[in-house]
């Protein structure tokens, strides 16, 4: 019997995950604003507050991610990807026309609209990819979140380094890349990424092995980018070679579905696949939520059981309004705001922060934040999953640890010692990555997968909200208070004092976030203990059946 590469077989499912990785590797364009913000500031003669509000408009696009969340339960994955790709093409395409001076600068409010459109495009891409892949690989949510969010973190460095290597860091060419590349990659993913029924999922052991390969390949890409960034200037030949090798590394994960396809051809035994498919016949969360000793025979009493529980239980699907009525949701929401809001402020203002401290080329700081953000995302996803399986450690503890580390980073940047911006960029990148990668699977564990697309996008509202509060208001006002006017109508500030108070306030905010994460970890301790016990019992049962 011949082999067909369709989404429902193992090779097709993993090919879908590979295309999801590619989509995430190009969907971090919201974090690249610092690469062309100075060009916008000069062309439009903006003050720092006006420029920061442009970045807020970009992040406000994520607020409309609620539309993507609602649509994720009603529209297929390819349609979500198509909407995101078209939005990004229009939003970043207009920005490219302005920066390349193909057209005159648009009125300020119109630029805000197109930045908002570009920002919203990624919510459709991210929702399509995250919701689909977490449902397809529900037994390994931590690694899935870590890998996908890790590539989002790397995408800034990928775009920045490719543009620097091939086009000498030209802002207009950079925007052209943001316009065309995501559009083409999403069109590719449309053909392969689909949601697979649980009964078609492969075994947890095989998934873990393949995710280990994905992690290893991703780390190689990250280290490769880091070496290029810290090795100084390069000749045209080396830069071209770097770009070719980087593209090969990004394409290398496709070797996994190719391997699975070849294995299927060699075996050509349908029984071998059917045995694997029978390993998972029901959603993992339902199995974990109600152990055998606690199952209720009355199906009609299920909603009563949900209402009487003091905290969410894995397998319990919350609607968004049911989630709103839980204390855990709001603790997670506010702590998420403390982490990502302050981190996004650093990313949006990294260009001006570097210039204030006397650095002419700030691309190294943008790349460091991106690359170490990747390490934070990919390692925290796998490590948190490991400790859940081994000891039932609550995921929110890792968020708490990242908040404290973030406090250290902001204090270093406030002191402004020589090299502190390098260290601060690395620390903020790592902690921002941990926060994103941990919160994604935590939300699915607390509130279920049925309405996960909408719940995820409600949590993502923290990105525009945090950008407005900390970047648009806090950083913008405090910077302008220290800045001096320039002849063109803008302003500038040079010196460590420009952002010192901003960093101090953000350090205090992260202390608050740390306290909230500790509270959430305590509240969910029993929940994760149940996950641990359930996974352990399933593993023992599987070992016993194999022994027979």
């Amino acid at each position: 019997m011949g082999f067909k590469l369709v989404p429902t077989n193992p090779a097709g499912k993993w090919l879908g995950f590979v295309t999801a990785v590619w989509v995430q590797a190009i969907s971090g364009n919201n974090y690249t604003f610092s690469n062309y913000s100075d060009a916008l500031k000069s062309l439009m003669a903006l003050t720092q507050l006006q420029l920061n509000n442009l970045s807020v408009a970009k992040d406000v696009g994520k607020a409309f991610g609620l539309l993507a969340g609602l649509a994720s339960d009603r529209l297929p994955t390819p349609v979500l990807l198509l909407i995101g790709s078209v939005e990004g093409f229009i939003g970043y395409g207009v920005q490219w026309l302005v920066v390349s001076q193909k057209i005159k600068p648009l009125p300020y409010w119109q630029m805000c609209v197109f930045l908002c459109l570009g920002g919203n495009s990624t919510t459709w891409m991210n929702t399509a990819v995250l919701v689909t892949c977490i449902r397809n690989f529900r037994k390994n949510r931590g690694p899935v979140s870590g890998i996908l969010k890790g590539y989002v973190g790397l995408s800034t460095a990928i775009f920045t380094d490719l543009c620097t290597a091939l086009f000498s860091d030209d802002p207009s060419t950079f925007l052209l890349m943001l316009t065309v590349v995501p559009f083409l990659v999403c069109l590719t993913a449309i053909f392969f990424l689909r949601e697979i029924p649980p009964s078609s999922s492969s075994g947890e052991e095989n998934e873990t092995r393949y995710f280990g390969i994905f992690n290893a390949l991703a780390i190689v890409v990250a280290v490769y980018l880091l070496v290029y960034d810290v090795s100084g200037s390069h000749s045209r030949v080396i830069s071209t070679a770097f770009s070719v090798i980087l593209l090969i590394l990004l394409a290398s994960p496709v070797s996994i579905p190719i391997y699975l396809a070849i294995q299927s051809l060699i075996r050509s035994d349908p029984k071998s696949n059917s045995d694997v498919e029978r390993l998972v016949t029901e959603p993992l969360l339902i199995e974990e939520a109600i152990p055998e000793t606690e199952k209720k025979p009355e199906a009609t009493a299920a909603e009563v059981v949900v209402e009487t529980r003091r905290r969410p239980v894995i397998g319990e699907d919350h609607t968004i309004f049911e989630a709103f009525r839980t204390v855990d949701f709001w603790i997670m929401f506010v702590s998420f705001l403390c982490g990502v809001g302050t981190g996004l402020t650093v990313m949006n203002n990294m260009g001006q922060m570097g210039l204030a401290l006397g650095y002419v080329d700030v691309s190294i700081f943008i790349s460091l934040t991106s690359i170490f953000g990747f390490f934070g995302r990919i390692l925290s996803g796998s490590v948190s999953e490991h400790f859940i399986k081994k000891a039932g450690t609550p995921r929110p503890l890792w968020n708490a640890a990242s908040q404290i580390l973030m406090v250290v980073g902001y204090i270093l940047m406030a002191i402004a010692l020589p090299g502190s911006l390098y260290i601060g960029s690395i620390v903020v990148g790592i902690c921002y990555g941990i926060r994103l990668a941990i919160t994604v699977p935590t939300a699915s564990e607390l509130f279920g997968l049925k309405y996960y697309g909408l719940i995820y996008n409600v949590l993502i509202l923290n990105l525009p909200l945090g950008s407005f509060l900390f970047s648009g208001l806090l950083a913008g006002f405090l910077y302008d208070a220290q800045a001096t006017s320039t002849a063109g109508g803008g302003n500038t500030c040079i010196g460590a004092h420009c952002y010192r108070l901003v960093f101090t306030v953000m350090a205090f905010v992260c202390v608050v976030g740390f306290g909230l994460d500790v509270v959430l970890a305590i509240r969910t301790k029993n929940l994760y203990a149940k996950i641990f016990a359930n996974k352990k019992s399933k593993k023992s049962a599987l070992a016993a059946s194999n022994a027979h």
Side-chain angles (χ1 to χ4, degrees):
M1 182 180 291
F3 173 78
K4 294 182 179 179
L5 190 63
V6 295
T8 52
N9 63 46
K13 187 176 79 166
W14 282 100
L15 181 58
F17 186 73
V18 171
T19 59
V21 165
W22 291 342
V23 170
Q24 295 291 263
I26 53 84
S27 64
N29 40 25
N30 268 6
Y31 303 115
T32 62
F33 184 70
S34 292
N35 282 331
Y36 57 92
S37 61
D38 199 50
L40 283 176
K41 187 177 182 180
S42 300
L43 280 170
M44 300 180 68
L46 303 176
T47 66
Q48 187 62 35
L49 180 60
Q50 290 173 320
L51 182 66
N52 282 3
N53 285 334
L54 269 185
S55 73
V56 170
K58 162 185 67 70
D59 294 324
V60 164
K62 296 187 179 72
F64 295 99
L66 291 175
L67 298 176
L70 289 169
S72 66
D73 294 325
R74 295 166 176 81
L75 298 177
T77 302
V79 176
L80 301 178
L81 289 172
L82 182 61
I83 293 172
S85 63
V86 172
E87 272 196 322
F89 187 82
I90 296 172
Y92 287 101
V94 171
Q95 293 177 62
W96 168 70
L97 290 173
V98 171
V99 172
S100 63
Q101 301 185 47
K102 304 288 184 184
I103 62 175
K104 293 181 179 179
L106 299 176
Y108 186 78
W109 71 268
Q110 291 183 16
M111 287 300 296
C112 288
V113 170
F114 285 108
L115 265 84
C116 180
L117 195 63
N120 182 248
S121 68
T122 61
T123 66
W124 293 88
M125 300 177 197
N126 291 339
T127 299
V129 164
L130 281 171
V131 172
T132 302
C133 290
I134 284 184
R135 287 174 176 170
N136 285 352
F137 301 96
R138 56 190 66 203
K139 285 191 173 184
N140 285 282
R141 301 176 199 193
V144 167
S145 172
I147 292 169
L148 294 178
K149 284 297 184 181
Y151 272 99
V152 173
L154 277 184
S155 64
T156 303
I158 291 171
F159 276 122
T160 301
D161 289 350
L162 280 177
C163 186
T164 301
L166 298 177
F167 309 110
S168 301
D169 201 20
D170 177 54
S172 64
T173 307
F174 184 81
L175 277 168
L176 182 61
M177 290 175 61
L178 294 185
T179 302
V180 176
V181 175
F183 181 76
L184 296 177
V185 172
C186 285
L187 290 184
T188 302
I190 282 172
F191 294 102
F192 301 105
L193 185 59
R194 299 286 191 281
E195 186 175 335
I196 311 300
S199 59
S200 299
S201 299
S202 59
E204 183 177 1
E205 186 176 336
N206 288 335
E207 287 185 1
T208 302
R209 182 169 69 250
Y210 295 139
F211 283 129
I213 297 173
F214 272 96
N215 280 331
L217 291 173
I219 290 172
V220 170
V221 172
V223 172
Y224 181 67
L225 289 168
L226 182 61
V227 169
Y228 180 80
D229 285 333
V230 301
S231 56
S233 58
H234 307 87
S235 66
R236 171 59 61 181
V237 174
I238 293 177
S239 297
T240 303
F242 159 80
S243 302
V244 172
I245 295 172
L246 176 59
L247 294 176
I248 292 173
L249 288 174
L250 291 173
S252 61
V254 80
S255 59
I256 292 177
I258 291 175
Y259 167 78
L260 290 172
I262 293 173
Q263 288 293 102
S264 297
L265 283 172
I266 293 174
R267 288 197 307 265
S268 65
D269 182 6
K271 182 180 178 182
S272 63
N273 284 336
S274 64
D275 288 341
V276 171
E277 291 178 359
R278 282 197 299 269
L279 287 175
V280 183
T281 57
E282 296 183 28
L284 173 67
L285 291 185
I286 292 177
E287 287 295 308
E288 289 180 344
I290 311 174
E292 290 294 334
T293 58
E294 298 180 9
K295 286 184 178 178
K296 307 294 182 183
E298 299 85 10
T300 58
E303 292 184 4
V304 177
V305 174
V306 170
E307 290 295 326
T308 57
R309 282 173 180 156
R310 291 167 48 192
R311 58 180 62 88
V313 177
I314 292 179
E316 182 180 338
D317 289 317
H318 290 65
T319 66
I320 188 62
F321 296 108
E322 289 170 339
F324 284 166
R325 289 197 293 267
T326 64
V327 176
D328 301 285
F329 178 86
W330 293 110
I331 294 175
M332 179 186 295
F333 186 89
V334 177
S335 68
F336 192 50
L337 173 65
C338 294
V340 299
T342 58
L344 198 58
T345 299
V346 173
M347 294 178 188
N348 285 340
N349 292 273
M350 185 60 75
Q352 283 67 43
M353 289 175 181
L355 294 174
L357 292 178
Y359 295 97
V360 177
D361 182 12
V362 297
S363 62
I364 180 64
F365 302 114
I366 299 169
S367 292
L368 285 176
T369 304
S370 173
I371 293 170
F372 282 93
F374 157 80
F375 284 116
R377 298 172 202 228
I378 199 165
L379 293 178
S380 62
S382 297
V383 170
S384 66
E385 192 76 25
H386 171 79
F387 278 94
I388 286 176
K389 293 177 180 178
K390 294 298 181 182
T393 305
R395 277 195 216 269
L397 278 180
W398 301 99
N399 279 336
S402 73
Q403 292 279 38
I404 283 298
L405 192 57
M406 225 169 190
V407 171
V408 175
Y410 291 143
I411 291 174
L412 286 174
M413 295 168 92
I415 295 173
L417 295 173
S420 62
L421 194 57
Y422 288 95
I423 299 173
S425 301
I426 292 171
V427 170
V428 170
I430 291 173
C431 297
Y432 185 84
I434 291 173
R435 168 61 69 176
L436 286 177
I438 293 295
T439 302
V440 168
T442 302
S444 73
E445 288 161 349
L446 293 179
F447 306 112
L449 286 173
K450 187 174 182 180
Y451 304 101
Y452 175 67
L454 182 56
I455 291 173
Y456 165 75
N457 277 286
V458 170
L459 288 171
I460 291 301
L461 285 175
N462 278 301
L463 296 180
L465 179 60
S467 179
F468 171 72
L469 292 176
F470 300 112
S471 182
L473 293 182
L474 179 69
F477 276 122
L478 293 182
Y479 179 94
D480 283 345
Q482 302 288 341
T484 56
S485 299
T486 59
N491 63 11
T492 186
C493 181
I494 303 297
H497 65 284
C498 299
Y499 283 98
R500 178 168 290 132
L501 186 55
V502 175
F503 291 132
T504 304
V505 173
M506 292 196 301
F508 174 77
V509 170
C510 285
V511 171
V512 174
F514 165 77
L516 292 173
D517 286 322
V518 171
V519 170
L520 186 60
I522 295 172
R523 289 178 61 86
T524 57
K525 182 179 179 181
N526 292 337
L527 175 67
Y528 284 97
K530 285 184 179 180
I531 302 178
F532 169 66
N534 189 261
K535 288 180 180 291
K536 189 175 181 181
S537 63
K538 283 184 177 181
K539 187 175 181 180
S540 300
L542 182 61
S545 63
N546 290 337
H548 292 296

